[in-house]
Structures are given as C-alpha cells and as structure tokens.
C-alpha cells in the first residue's frame, strides 16, 4: 500500500507564510511549482496507478508516414498556460482529498509527498468552486492557493500515514511551473565529478578535474576565435577601468537550491510578482532562475565515455534499473552572466543595453523601447520583460492586468516603504535583468572617493598637490557584496573585483581547476563562472561507481 509523507512546504513552511507573495512565487526546488501545492509521486508508482502514461505520453503515430516520432516526447497535460495536470483522490486515516499530482524523479516508490500549509481560504474566483468561510483568515495572496492536507494528518500520524489509497479522477488542475524540462541535452550545464576512480569511467579524480572544462559540448567544440581584437588602437583593453573589474563565481558543491538568492534579489531590486496566471505563461520576473536538473547514467560507458554495445543484440548496454531510477538532483542558479562579448548588446536598436568600463552588462531603462531583441539573442535566457505595469496594477486580482487603466491599482499604507529607493522601478514595456547590484557597487565607489576627500582635507594641502593613486581609489578587497551573495546560507556565491589578484576570494575561486564557463563554446566570455560539483561517495555502497559521473560522460 501507499504511504503519505506530510512535508513542510519550501515556501510557506507549515502555512504561516501563506500571505507572503515573494515566497508564493518562488518555485518549489524540486517540482518548480508556484502558487500551489501538489502530491509528488515517483514514476513507477504513477505507472501502477495508471497516471504516468497520461502525464508523459509520447508523440502519437504520424498518420501520413505511419511512423512514430522518436525523441519527441509530448506531455499529455500540455505546457505553459495550457498545462493541466491530473488529479487523484488520496484517502488516509478515513479522510479523502482530491489533489493534483506531479511526477517527482528520484522519489521513493509507493510514497506520496504532500506539502502542508495551503488551502486556507477560498472566494468566488476559485476555479474548483470550493466553499469556505475561512477566506477572511488569509489575504489576497493566500486565497485560493493550493489544497489543505491537514485533515489527512492525525496526532497519531503527524509525519507520515500508512495504508493510503490513491485513485485517479477525470479532473485536471491548472498549475504554474517555471521549468518543464529535466535534462541538459548533452550540454553539461551543471557539471559534476566524483572522487572515486572507476575502471570503466573517465579516470581518477585528478583526471576528471583536469577535464571539467571539456564536459558536454565543450569536449568537441572547436576553440573560439574572435575576428575582433580586444584592445583599442593604443593597445589598451576595451574594458579599461583600472580600478574595478567585477566578476562572480558560484560553487555548485555548496548550492542546495534553497531560493534564498532569488528572494533576496527580488527584495533588493524592486522585482514585482506577477501572479499565477502570468507565471504559467512564462512571464515570471525573477532575475535569478534556479534551474533544476536530474542527472543519471542510462547507458554503460567505457573509459572513453562511449556507450558499450551488446555484441549479441547490437543494442547499447543499459546500467542496472536501480541506477536509472535513482537520478541525482542538481540545482543551478542562473542570472545574467555579464558577457564580455554580449550577444544582447549588438542587437539593441536604441543602445539600451551597453557595456560599462568596469565589465557590467548594464541597462539604461529610460532608453529601452521593448523590442525584446536582446532576450531573443541571449543564450542564457536571463532577461525579463515587463508585459504589464505590475508595480501599478495589482496582479493578484483575477484578470486585473488586462483591464489597463481601468484595472484596480495597488494600495498600501506606506508606499515609500515598498521599494528600495536606490533602484529604479521599471514600467511596462521595459526589459530588465541582473545588474550585479550596481547600486551597491556605485555606493561603495562613492564612499571610497569621499574617504579620500577627507584624507586630503586632513593633510591640509591643496588638492592638486595630493597624489591620488589607483590603490587609494579602489575599494577594499571583498568589501562589497551583492544581495544574492549576502543571503546565501551556504556561501556558494563569491563576488568581487578581478583586479584585486589573489587577495580576492572571487579571483581565487576562478583559479580553481573545477571552474568553468556556462555555454563556453558559444564564445560570449561571461564574467560569472561556476565551480563543478564534487561528489564524495562511500566506496562500500553499491551506487558509488555511478555517483557524480552523469555529466562526465556527456559528449
């Protein structure tokens, strides 16, 4: 029989944060679900319940050619704004609950994981027409959000319940997911290595470390050659601020996908929430996208990373089923990586996205006319477009954004406390993205200059007679932090001035062997780089040869 695991939710915890819109719109680290909860179920268990085939049905046979389309899975529950996932009736402790389900790869079989804290109140706009006299207990943020699983949970079964039944229904529920794909398609976006040496794998830890930069497409792509020289006629670099050159490094060994950086960035940079309807359409505004991948080795490989073919059948040899059914969860935060050869800059017709002398890919919001050419040309898909005046029109009122000037405006008791006064509040039709918290950088530079001014006054000499050097105007090493870096509980993000040399944490991070650039083969030369994840499995465990090896074999 099934078991139900009652889990605290990654956003609302036990329900106490139901009215926090930042948390509601922060996607669940595993399912990437926003504004709702759902029962998570393993693929094999879903198959046993007759749900899996409805959720991940392959493309039908082409009626013209009579052939099946290969490598083109089509989800039966649709995508984006049309995604509607199946619902099941879960019965535990004599109480039943109808709730949508989502496939959760790597989850234990014969279990259902249901996050708690949702379904606290409903009103007339509820799509399921649920009645409740508790709508007054929650605000506009928490009303109609999710399903209440607390009735299934008794004092005798506070953490999990056994003897549970689950039956699929004919109903489907509209869900908003920020990520609907699970694989990296051979590109080795999030990379990992293992400390264990396996004979049929790609060598020792040192050998894997040496080839971190050559995983995925980078293993066979030719070296990037630029037609343009990176310096001017006088031999000076084009990005030539001698004081500051900013850069960032993100350690995937430390990152756990907790979304702290995402929410901190939203608070710091006046990023609006857009509501469930707009998230489902792919219009979320987060400057940091917390990607989630499932890494596993489906086929056995030799020491060169090539698939082993069965001589008798002629088919590729698969790894044991228990290996294929146990993928690793790999989170990867992605924001604008501030390319030195930025594809977005060359296509902007009004020069709204420009490169600063200190290495930032900056945005001039008052010049942007919303062509979205930059977003189309960005290979990292890290730019966001304001389809509506989210800061003026309340996105939580049903269809309010589509009413234009007739829509209800957001009302607050203290408007001056809503936003960070050091950051521009963007309006409809403007593109926006990560700026490395440029307001913090400029504030630190201004403070450093002001300090030098005070020193000049203290000397008592005329200012032309006081020598000011680069070292005196450069801000102290590691003295400025971005919002995401400051909020990260695992210290996975390092940021600083690349001109500080080995004194800087970010420079030392970029000198580590496992440092690599995302989509390096494209040749954009990003300022944000990543450190490959290192797995240190117990050699006595049966899965040790397979842990941390999934991306090593991507070719």
């Amino acid at each position: 029989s099934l078991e139900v695991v009652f889990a605290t939710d990654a956003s609302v915890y036990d329900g106490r944060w139901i009215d926090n819109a930042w948390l509601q719109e922060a996607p669940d680290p595993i399912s990437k679900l926003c504004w709702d909860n759902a029962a998570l179920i393993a693929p094999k268990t879903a198959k046993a319940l007759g749900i899996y085939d409805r959720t991940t049905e392959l493309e039908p046979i082409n009626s013209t050619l009579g052939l099946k389309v290969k490598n083109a899975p089509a989800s039966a529950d649709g995508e984006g704004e049309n995604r509607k996932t199946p619902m099941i009736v879960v019965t535990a402790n004599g109480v039943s609950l109808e709730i949508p389900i989502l496939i959760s790869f790597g989850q234990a079989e014969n279990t259902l994981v249901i996050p708690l804290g949702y379904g606290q109140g409903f009103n007339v706009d509820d799509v399921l027409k649920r009645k409740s006299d508790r709508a007054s207990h929650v605000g506009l943020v928490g009303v109609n959000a999710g399903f209440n699983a607390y009735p299934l949970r008794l004092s005798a079964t506070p953490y999990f319940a056994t003897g549970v039944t689950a039956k699929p229904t004919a109903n489907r529920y509209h869900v908003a997911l920020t990520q609907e794909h699970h694989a990296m398609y051979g590109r080795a976006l999030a990379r990992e290595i293992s400390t264990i040496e396996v004979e049929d794998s790609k060598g020792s830890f040192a050998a894997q470390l040496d080839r971190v930069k050559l995983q995925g497409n980078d293993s066979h792509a030719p070296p990037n050659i630029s037609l343009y020289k990176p310096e001017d006629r006088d031999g000076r670099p084009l990005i030539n601020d001698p004081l500051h050159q900013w850069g960032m490094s993100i350690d995937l060994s430390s990152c756990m996908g907790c979304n702290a950086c995402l929410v901190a960035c939203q608070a710091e940079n006046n990023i609006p929430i857009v509501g469930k309807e707009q998230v489902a359409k792919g219009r979320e505004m987060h400057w940091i996208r917390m990607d989630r991948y499932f890494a596993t080795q489906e086929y056995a490989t030799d020491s060169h990373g090539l698939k082993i073919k069965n001589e008798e059948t002629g088919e590729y040899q698969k790894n044991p089923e228990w290996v294929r059914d146990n993928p690793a969860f790999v989170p990867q935060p992605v924001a604008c990586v501030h390319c030195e050869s930025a594809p977005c800059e060359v296509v902007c017709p009004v020069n709204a996205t420009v490169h600063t002398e200190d290495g930032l890919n900056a945005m001039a919001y008052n010049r942007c006319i919303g062509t979205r050419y930059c977003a189309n040309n960005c290979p990292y898909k890290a730019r966001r477009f304001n389809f509506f005046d989210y800061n003026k029109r309340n996105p939580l009122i049903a269809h309010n954004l589509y009413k234009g000037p007739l829509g209800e405006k957001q009302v607050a008791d203290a408007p001056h406390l809503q936003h960070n006064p050091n950051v521009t509040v963007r309006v409809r039709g403007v593109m926006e993205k990560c700026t490395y918290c440029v307001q913090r950088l400029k504030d630190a530079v201004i403070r450093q200059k002001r300090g030098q001014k005070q020193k000049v006054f203290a000397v008592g000499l005329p200012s032309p007679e006081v020598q000011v050097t680069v070292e005196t105007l450069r801000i102290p090493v590691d003295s400025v932090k971005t919002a995401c870096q400051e909020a990260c509980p695992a210290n996975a993000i390092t940021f600083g001035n690349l001109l500080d040399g080995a004194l800087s944490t970010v420079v030392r991070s970029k000198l580590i062997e496992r440092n690599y650039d995302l989509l390096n083969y494209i040749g954009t030369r990003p300022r944000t780089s990543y450190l490959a994840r290192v797995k240190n499995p117990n050699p006595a465990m049966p899965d040790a040869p397979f842990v941390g090896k999934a991306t090593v074999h991507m070719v």
Side-chain angles (χ1 to χ4, degrees):
S1 63
L2 296 175
E3 292 183 357
V4 167
V5 178
F6 301 111
T8 53
D9 186 72
S11 293
V12 305
Y13 192 50
D14 57 357
R16 67 186 67 184
W17 311 121
I18 190 73
D19 276 324
N20 189 315
W22 285 344
L23 296 179
Q24 283 274 26
E25 198 151 293
D28 182 90
I30 305 295
S31 66
K32 315 309 292 183
L33 180 66
C34 298
W35 294 98
D36 273 308
N37 63 338
L40 305 181
I41 188 171
K44 282 193 173 181
T45 308
K47 282 184 179 180
L49 295 175
I51 300 171
Y52 185 84
D53 293 334
R54 295 167 56 193
T55 306
T56 57
E57 183 181 0
L58 296 178
E59 286 282 356
I61 294 177
N62 188 302
S63 58
T64 304
L65 301 176
L67 300 174
K68 219 173 226 186
V69 181
K70 294 183 178 180
N71 301 324
S75 179
D77 54 355
E79 293 182 348
E81 60 184 311
N82 300 315
R83 187 181 183 102
K84 290 188 175 181
T85 190
M87 299 188 73
I88 58 174
V89 174
V90 181
T91 303
N93 296 320
V95 181
S96 297
L97 170 67
E98 187 176 17
I99 187 171
I101 64 104
L102 290 174
I103 304 297
S104 179
F105 299 95
Q107 182 172 311
E109 297 171 15
N110 299 319
T111 62
L112 292 170
V113 176
I114 303 180
L116 300 171
Y118 285 89
Q120 296 188 31
F122 314 102
N123 60 19
V124 294
D125 294 323
D126 181 41
V127 294
L128 298 178
K129 304 302 179 185
R130 291 170 289 186
K131 296 182 179 179
S132 172
D133 56 356
R134 295 174 295 151
S136 59
H137 296 178
V138 292
L140 196 58
V141 174
V143 69
N144 302 329
F147 300 81
N148 183 16
Y150 274 113
L152 306 179
R153 180 175 179 256
L154 304 180
S155 59
T157 58
Y159 304 111
F160 66 94
T162 58
V164 177
T165 62
K167 296 182 179 180
T169 69
N171 298 327
R172 286 180 173 268
Y173 183 74
H174 179 249
V175 293
L177 302 178
T178 60
Q179 184 177 347
E180 295 179 330
H181 63 280
H182 316 293
M184 291 182 272
Y185 304 106
R187 292 174 295 176
L189 303 177
R191 304 182 183 183
E192 59 179 3
I193 56 178
S194 173
T195 57
I196 284 190
E197 181 175 358
V198 183
E199 292 182 1
D200 59 349
S201 188
K202 289 195 173 181
S204 63
F205 173 72
Q208 296 176 57
L209 200 61
D210 187 55
R211 292 186 58 83
V212 159
K213 291 181 172 61
L214 299 178
Q215 290 188 18
N217 280 11
D218 289 328
S219 63
H220 53 80
N224 295 314
I225 301 177
S226 176
L227 298 177
Y228 304 96
K229 294 182 178 180
E231 62 267 347
D232 60 16
R233 294 178 180 179
D234 298 327
R236 296 174 302 184
L238 296 178
I239 305 176
N240 57 5
D241 184 356
L243 296 175
H244 308 103
Q245 294 293 323
W246 306 109
M248 178 178 285
S249 175
I250 302 176
D251 190 352
L252 298 183
S253 282
S254 301
C255 178
M256 54 187 173
C258 68
N259 284 334
C261 57
L262 181 148
V263 177
C265 178
Q266 189 162 18
E268 173 74 18
N269 294 292
N270 299 335
I271 301 174
I273 61 156
V274 300
K276 177 181 175 179
E277 181 182 17
Q278 299 301 314
V279 169
K281 294 182 178 183
R283 295 175 177 175
E284 69 273 11
M285 295 298 297
H286 298 133
W287 288 4
I288 298 178
R289 184 183 71 243
M290 184 61 69
D291 286 343
R292 173 267 294 124
Y293 300 106
F294 296 105
T296 187
Q297 293 176 255
E298 184 175 3
Y299 295 97
T301 56
D302 58 19
S303 58
H304 300 288
L306 302 176
K307 298 178 183 177
I308 300 175
K309 185 174 288 188
N310 190 313
E311 297 181 357
E312 297 180 358
T313 63
E315 297 180 352
Y316 290 116
Q317 179 180 332
K318 290 189 174 183
N319 281 323
E321 187 176 12
W322 59 270
V323 175
R324 290 180 277 125
D325 291 344
N326 187 32
F329 164 70
V330 186
Q332 182 179 35
V334 179
C336 173
V337 294
H338 294 269
C339 310
E340 292 188 32
S341 299
C344 57
E345 296 173 7
V346 296
V347 296
C348 181
V350 292
N351 210 29
T353 174
V354 295
H355 220 85
T356 65
E357 291 188 348
D358 54 358
L360 267 62
N361 179 240
M363 281 294 303
Y365 296 123
N366 60 337
R367 284 207 298 265
C368 180
I369 59 174
T371 63
R372 292 186 286 165
Y373 292 161
C374 57
N376 290 334
N377 220 35
C378 175
Y380 304 96
K381 299 305 170 191
R383 288 174 166 267
R384 300 291 179 258
F385 181 70
N386 285 272
F387 282 88
F388 297 98
D389 272 330
Y390 301 114
N391 284 294
K392 292 182 180 180
R393 315 295 172 191
N394 196 329
L396 300 180
I397 300 176
H399 310 298
N400 187 53
L401 294 174
Y402 293 95
K403 296 179 182 178
L406 301 179
E408 187 172 336
K409 295 184 178 181
Q410 301 206 50
V411 180
D413 295 331
H416 64 285
L417 297 178
Q418 287 184 6
H419 300 116
N420 182 350
N422 296 322
V423 181
T424 304
V425 178
R426 285 76 59 188
V427 296
R428 181 181 183 181
V430 172
M431 187 67 67
E432 58 184 72
K433 64 169 192 67
C434 165
T435 62
Y436 274 167
C437 288
V438 65
Q439 68 279 1
R440 294 190 175 198
L441 303 182
K442 296 305 179 184
D443 179 71
V445 170
I446 291 171
R447 290 177 183 274
Q448 183 69 14
K449 289 182 178 180
R450 188 167 59 191
Q452 299 307 316
K453 184 178 180 180
Q454 298 300 325
K455 289 183 180 180
V456 171
F457 289 157
V459 173
L461 296 176
S463 57
E465 299 180 12
V466 179
Q467 184 178 7
V468 179
T469 64
V470 170
E471 286 71 22
T472 59
L473 291 178
R474 183 177 294 167
I475 65 173
V477 178
D478 295 341
S479 62
V480 60
K481 292 186 177 182
T482 60
C484 57
Q485 176 190 13
E486 200 167 25
C488 181
N491 290 327
I493 302 174
T494 56
F495 174 83
N497 185 6
L498 300 179
L499 299 179
D500 284 332
L503 296 175
S504 172
T505 306
V506 68
V507 173
R508 295 198 301 270
S509 178
K510 286 182 176 292
L511 293 175
I512 297 176
E513 294 93 332
R514 55 192 179 98
N515 183 274
Y516 71 95
D517 291 337
L518 192 61
L519 301 182
N520 173 69
Y521 58 92
I522 293 178
T524 56
R525 300 166 62 201
R527 282 293 180 97
T528 297
S529 60
Y530 292 84
L531 297 180
R533 187 170 71 162
V534 177
K535 302 296 289 184
N536 185 27
N538 183 348
M541 299 299 288
D543 64 342
F546 306 98
V547 173
K549 299 287 188 177
T551 65
V552 170
H553 297 290
M554 284 186 178
V555 292

